[in-house]
Amino acid sequence: SDLLSEARHAYDYIVIDSDICHGKHTFKDTRIMISIVLEMLEEGAPIKEIIDAYPDLTPRHVKEALKFAAKVTEKNLLPI
């Protein structure tokens, strides 16, 4: 199966919409990019701090962002 098609349907909270944030991956019904949450985690922010900064998110959103990042690297979808 097509990896991008599979990715589009594998997540409850992550979407790609060309009309939102220039087609970047965002959390459904928000303009919050997945990359922002991943960067906050990389900087050591606890989940509570992320949710305080973005009240539309829940711990499930943050965990799904990590799942997404793991899948992207596992499938080698992005060249280095």
Side-chain angles (χ1 to χ4, degrees), residues 38-45:
L38 292 173
E39 287 170 3
M40 290 179 78
L41 289 166
E42 186 264 332
E43 292 168 2

Side-chain angles (χ1 to χ4, degrees), residues 12-15 20-21 25-41 45-66:
D12 295 325
Y13 302 109
I14 297 174
V15 295
I20 299 172
C21 296
H25 293 88
T26 60
F27 291 102
K28 187 185 247 180
D29 300 324
T30 77
R31 300 182 81 73
I32 304 166
M33 292 184 289
I34 305 308
S35 60
I36 291 172
V37 169
L38 292 173
E39 287 170 3
M40 290 179 78
L41 289 166
I47 291 175
K48 183 183 182 324
E49 181 179 320
I50 295 168
I51 293 167
D52 287 346
Y54 298 100
D56 290 336
L57 302 183
T58 68
R60 287 184 177 187
H61 288 90
V62 177
K63 289 176 183 175
E64 190 160 286
L66 287 170

Side-chain angles (χ1 to χ4, degrees), residues 11 25 67-78:
Y11 302 96
H25 293 88
K67 173 185 168 188
F68 173 79
K71 279 292 182 195
V72 167
T73 57
E74 176 187 308
K75 302 287 186 185
N76 293 322
L77 296 178
L78 299 176

